Amino acid sequence: MEILQKLFYTDLGNTANNIAILIFRVLFAWELLTVHGLKKIQRGPQAEPEHIPNPLQLPEKLNAAVAQFADTIVPFFIALGLFGRLALLPTIGVTAVGYFVVHRHDSREVRDIPFMYTLCLLLLLLTGPGTYSIDHYIYQLLTK
């Protein structure tokens, strides 16, 4: 039962905090999807998909799949608050690798984007998605 609580239970204390994290989740997920996710999957005669760095030397298809999943599918889980804490892990991995590996020698201005994304994702990991989430309703159903 304790693991269910750690995975699914989130109550940020009051309605205002839970609404604030809901708004934050939805806006963050929208930004992640539209700015980073969609350019990874662009298709068509004029579109060139974004180059996805592979600093860990994973097989190219696996590297691309992880990056695409983290930036195109995970935002829906974030926005809905569905498996919120677990779903964040691949995206935290991608942004942290971007910060600590891909951009480690770049200026602070360049490293700023993966740093800010990683911080936002860590905030969501620590707080959870709040009471206005599917996770909250799953927890209520499982603990009745």
Side-chain angles (χ1 to χ4, degrees):
M1 194 60 77
E2 189 175 318
I3 193 147
L4 290 177
Q5 185 172 12
K6 290 190 184 307
L7 288 176
F8 294 110
Y9 182 75
T10 304
D11 185 354
L12 300 176
N14 61 49
T15 302
N17 290 345
N18 285 297
I19 289 173
I21 205 73
L22 168 66
I23 293 168
F24 179 78
R25 270 191 0 246
V26 170
L27 293 176
F28 178 81
W30 176 255
E31 190 73 6
L32 182 62
L33 175 66
T34 59
V35 173
H36 297 280
L38 295 180
K39 66 183 176 180
K40 283 185 174 61
I41 59 170
Q42 287 180 347
R43 303 284 187 255
Q46 303 291 340
E48 279 190 44
E50 175 185 52
H51 168 71
I52 301 170
N54 190 358
L56 303 179
Q57 303 303 310
L58 299 172
E60 286 300 323
K61 287 187 178 190
L62 175 62
N63 185 63
V66 170
Q68 289 172 353
F69 176 77
D71 291 348
T72 59
I73 304 301
V74 169
F76 292 102
F77 285 89
I78 293 170
L80 295 171
L82 177 60
F83 304 116
R85 288 184 168 112
L86 289 176
L88 294 168
L89 297 177
T91 309
I92 289 171
V94 168
T95 60
V97 167
Y99 179 74
F100 289 109
V101 180
V102 175
H103 297 292
R104 75 178 173 272
H105 298 298
D106 293 339
S107 68
R108 289 182 69 204
E109 290 80 15
V110 172
R111 292 183 2 227
D112 182 57
I113 293 172
F115 178 73
M116 294 308 292
Y117 272 98
T118 303
L119 281 181
C120 291
L121 290 160
L122 288 172
L123 173 70
L124 288 171
L125 182 69
L126 293 173
T127 64
T131 57
Y132 300 110
S133 66
I134 294 175
D135 279 1
H136 181 75
Y137 297 108
I138 290 172
Y139 181 74
Q140 286 183 327
L141 289 173
L142 293 175
T143 56
K144 281 188 176 182

